[in-house]
Amino acid sequence: MPQPTALATADAVIEAAWRRPVDTLQTLRHEGRTTDPTLLTVLRIRQSLVFSDAEISSQQERLHHLTRPGHVPLLHELDAVTSAAAQLRTAHAEAHARVRALCAVIDAHPEHRLADQLTRDLDRSAAVQPRAEAARARTTTPVPASPASSVVDTEAVIPAGAPAAKPRAGRG
């Protein structure tokens, strides 16, 4: 059974700490509904893991291509195999270090404190949001729409007896 990737491990740790899926947490961050510095830090570390995961996949594909079954590497390809293997080891080490950093940030807080703090933040933002929308509604002045401008008189625009529009020829 293959080991989970560093990204999958990070996602599991984040979801356990905040008791929400990572996609939901990222949506909350993008909407500005949370300003928890711990969550923002963890999501930034996770984003760097996304890049590390892509680098690992790229180096694995390169190494598999160079060492595919039935292929005897040429002398100059041996350097490429060595280089790809070293870069793969480096990418794995960087990803592992990022996961450890992510775990250290989360472990610095008491258990369940992060999820409880996020819930309080979301409750607070939900209470503030209707008041902000009401204030915005009071301060903006609606532009009155005239009934004449909303309805277009097609007979006035296209005179009777005018030739019909020809269909455009397609490119071919």
Side-chain angles (χ1 to χ4, degrees), residues 74-110:
L74 300 173
L75 185 59
H76 65 81
E77 288 179 325
L78 293 177
D79 288 336
V81 169
T82 305
S83 173
Q87 289 173 352
L88 180 60
R89 281 192 302 273
T90 302
H92 272 292
E94 289 173 353
H96 182 68
R98 286 183 175 112
V99 170
R100 287 183 31 205
L102 186 137
C103 289
V105 169
I106 290 173
D107 289 343
H109 300 281

Side-chain angles (χ1 to χ4, degrees), residues 53-137:
D53 195 50
E55 176 68 18
I56 288 170
S57 296
S58 171
Q59 293 302 331
Q60 282 177 337
E61 287 177 19
R62 182 175 173 218
L63 194 57
H64 288 176
H65 175 74
L66 292 169
T67 60
R68 63 189 177 272
H71 174 73
V72 177
L74 300 173
L75 185 59
H76 65 81
E77 288 179 325
L78 293 177
D79 288 336
V81 169
T82 305
S83 173
Q87 289 173 352
L88 180 60
R89 281 192 302 273
T90 302
H92 272 292
E94 289 173 353
H96 182 68
R98 286 183 175 112
V99 170
R100 287 183 31 205
L102 186 137
C103 289
V105 169
I106 290 173
D107 289 343
H109 300 281
E111 191 172 338
H112 303 300
R113 177 231 171 261
L114 297 172
D116 296 340
Q117 180 64 36
L118 179 64
T119 303
R120 284 193 298 274
D121 283 351
L122 293 177
D123 290 344
R124 197 172 319 130
S125 72
V128 170
Q129 190 171 6
R131 288 185 289 181
E133 289 176 7
R136 241 181 266 121

Side-chain angles (χ1 to χ4, degrees), residues 8-59:
T9 302
D11 286 349
V13 169
I14 293 169
E15 289 174 0
W18 275 274
R19 297 187 209 148
R20 285 180 168 70
V22 172
D23 294 337
T24 302
L25 295 172
Q26 287 183 340
T27 301
L28 293 172
R29 180 185 65 126
H30 288 300
E31 292 174 351
R33 293 180 55 198
T34 181
T35 57
D36 180 14
T38 306
L39 177 59
L40 298 177
T41 301
V42 166
L43 290 177
R44 285 186 187 113
I45 294 171
R46 184 194 177 276
Q47 185 60 41
S48 69
L49 275 168
V50 170
F51 297 128
S52 290
D53 195 50
E55 176 68 18
I56 288 170
S57 296
S58 171
Q59 293 302 331

